[in-house]
Amino acid sequence: MYKKRFVVMCAILCSILNSYAQQDVSFANSLENFIIKQRSLYSTKYADRINKELKEGFEKMKEKPSSGINIPLLPPPKVVASDFKQFIYFTVTSKYYIQYSTVNNVFESDSLIGPAINSIKKIDRESLSVTEFNPSLFTKSTEELHEKHICTYQIEKEYKDAIKYIAGYKCFKVTLFNAINPYYGMEMYVTEDIKLNYHPVMNCKETLNKYFPLYIKIFSKDYPNDHYEEYMFFKSM
């Protein structure tokens, strides 16, 4: 009898804990720190292909008959291969979102790309107004939050069985398409356990009303591993 009651109590406790684990997390009464690893890749393979296409297009333009206007044709600028990396620090407090970036490969080349921290942003959780501090000029400014170009992507399909655990949260795969620029696609892993009205990368109402992306990859469909922009969330210890 006691054994049966113990089993029933354990089942009830597990059910309660599971229900609690599935509740929406808004961090209204807590503080949460994330680090986002960003990578923007233009591989040598991709750069060579684009430069070849630009050169071929330029040669065809030179072969066209003259219109009578003597305007010299200048060759197109070359696309240079690059592999840019940075960390985005994203803190959620009860009243504000705080965000800033540090460049990871700032010393890996001879190019001077500016200071490691360009700006620090504080976004009000209610009004979504942005207060931005510029360390270089030691100035502060306030503005409204702008929707990013990434919001032109639309949800194509959800893969609820494609599961990954990212930053401690259960996520599933979502693919998106861009009707304006169909040569590019997007893949996300999203969680339904975080409910926030702001995202440091994909700040789009349509997406945030459904779930919170913890992995984002925007890529060229012809060169998905040679030309892409990628964001991965990690919990900050």
Side-chain angles (χ1 to χ4, degrees):
M1 185 68 177
Y2 289 106
K3 184 177 180 181
K4 184 177 180 181
R5 287 182 180 177
F6 178 76
V7 172
V8 172
M9 289 297 294
C10 286
I12 293 172
L13 180 61
C14 289
S15 177
I16 293 172
L17 290 174
N18 184 65
S19 174
Y20 179 79
Q22 297 300 318
Q23 286 181 1
D24 296 337
V25 179
S26 64
F27 310 115
N29 300 307
S30 62
L31 182 144
E32 189 70 18
N33 292 299
F34 294 99
I35 296 177
I36 307 159
K37 290 185 178 180
Q38 176 187 352
R39 184 182 186 188
S40 300
L41 177 67
Y42 285 77
S43 73
T44 302
K45 177 182 177 181
Y46 175 77
D48 289 345
R49 174 62 186 272
I50 296 301
N51 287 327
K52 181 182 177 182
E53 292 178 355
L54 291 173
K55 184 178 179 181
E56 290 173 352
F58 178 69
E59 295 297 331
K60 288 180 180 179
M61 288 184 65
K62 289 199 302 184
E63 293 172 0
K64 288 184 178 180
S66 175
S67 60
I69 303 174
N70 189 17
I71 301 177
L73 289 175
L74 298 176
K78 285 190 175 182
V79 175
V80 180
S82 64
D83 190 2
F84 176 79
K85 300 172 185 176
Q86 73 173 7
F87 295 119
I88 301 172
Y89 293 83
F90 179 55
T91 299
V92 184
T93 73
S94 59
K95 293 184 178 180
Y96 302 104
Y97 303 110
I98 300 168
Q99 177 183 335
Y100 66 94
S101 304
T102 58
V103 179
N104 185 33
N105 54 353
V106 66
F107 299 115
E108 293 181 6
S109 68
D110 293 330
S111 62
L112 301 177
I113 58 174
I117 300 177
N118 291 319
S119 67
I120 302 170
K121 295 181 180 179
K122 183 179 73 173
I123 301 101
D124 187 280
R125 290 188 63 165
E126 290 188 11
S127 66
L128 292 180
S129 61
V130 183
T131 302
E132 184 170 348
F133 174 71
N134 186 320
S136 299
L137 302 175
F138 211 76
T139 57
K140 186 174 73 171
S141 60
T142 304
E143 61 181 28
E144 295 301 315
L145 194 65
H146 300 293
E147 192 174 72
K148 298 183 178 182
H149 71 280
I150 201 171
C151 296
T152 58
Y153 286 83
Q154 300 174 31
I155 295 172
E156 181 178 47
K157 189 175 180 180
E158 296 177 345
Y159 298 83
K160 293 290 183 79
D161 295 331
I163 302 298
K164 281 186 179 182
Y165 283 86
I166 301 174
Y169 295 93
K170 183 179 179 180
C171 301
F172 61 88
K173 181 179 175 181
V174 177
T175 57
L176 300 92
F177 70 94
N178 192 332
I180 299 174
N181 193 344
Y183 298 103
Y184 286 85
M186 188 193 301
E187 177 183 296
M188 301 191 304
Y189 276 85
V190 302
T191 181
E192 294 176 319
D193 295 334
I194 298 178
K195 293 296 182 183
L196 298 175
N197 62 345
Y198 173 77
H199 191 282
V201 180
M202 193 173 188
N203 189 43
C204 311
K205 289 181 180 179
E206 182 181 354
T207 302
L208 296 182
N209 285 339
K210 300 184 70 175
Y211 27 60
F212 195 84
L214 292 176
Y215 173 83
I216 298 170
K217 182 179 180 180
I218 308 165
F219 56 89
S220 167
K221 289 184 177 180
D222 293 334
Y223 297 90
N225 296 316
D226 292 284
H227 179 207
Y228 64 83
E229 192 164 350
E230 184 180 51
Y231 302 85
M232 172 73 86
F233 277 68
F234 295 86
K235 276 276 188 75
S236 176
M237 302 301 292

